[in-house]
Amino acid sequence: MFAVIRTGGKQYKVAKNDVLLVERLSADAGKEVKFDEVLMLGEDAGLKLGKPLIAGAHVTATVLDQTQADKVLIFKKNRRHNYRRKRGHRQKLTVVRILDIKAA
């Protein structure tokens, strides 16, 4: 069984025991989180699509770690004007493991 969930403005296809990097969630390591925005459920029998969400369906996951992504460099330059700006950004991420997928 798999599900398509929406969190942090992105969509993820998940199955049981998958490990994901999602946008930062406000939960400590070891806590359980529940994703209520389930867009699609897939089983051996077929697919169940939401319009846009499937009512009553949810995905349970446990938080493994709070981490940061690799650094992305932002470099701006205007030639012949002595203008150079170098900045970096590291996105905050949460590592989760999918425990269970419940249909409505």
Side-chain angles (χ1 to χ4, degrees):
M1 176 179 232
F2 72 91
V4 176
I5 61 171
R6 181 170 61 197
T7 180
K10 298 175 179 68
Q11 296 177 6
Y12 300 94
K13 180 182 175 187
V14 298
K16 191 172 180 180
N17 293 325
D18 282 354
V19 176
L20 294 176
L21 286 170
V22 298
E23 296 289 322
R24 179 75 178 233
L25 299 172
S26 59
D28 296 328
K31 301 282 179 154
E32 284 193 3
V33 293
K34 188 164 81 169
F35 300 108
D36 293 326
E37 295 187 347
V38 179
L39 303 169
M40 182 171 72
L41 287 172
E43 300 178 25
D44 296 333
L47 292 175
K48 185 174 182 183
L49 297 173
K51 296 179 184 175
L53 303 175
I54 298 174
H58 65 273
V59 174
T60 307
T62 183
V63 176
L64 300 179
D65 192 18
Q66 299 286 355
T67 186
Q68 289 183 328
D70 294 335
K71 183 173 277 194
V72 177
L73 293 178
I74 298 99
F75 186 73
K76 299 179 182 181
K77 178 180 188 283
N78 288 344
R79 63 182 190 166
R80 297 187 298 269
H81 290 282
N82 196 24
Y83 176 81
R84 291 183 293 274
R85 300 292 182 266
K86 183 178 173 184
R87 296 192 55 176
H89 174 74
R90 293 187 70 188
Q91 186 69 35
K92 294 183 183 341
L93 300 173
T94 302
V95 183
V96 296
R97 180 184 302 275
I98 304 300
L99 297 178
D100 195 20
I101 300 172
K102 294 284 187 192

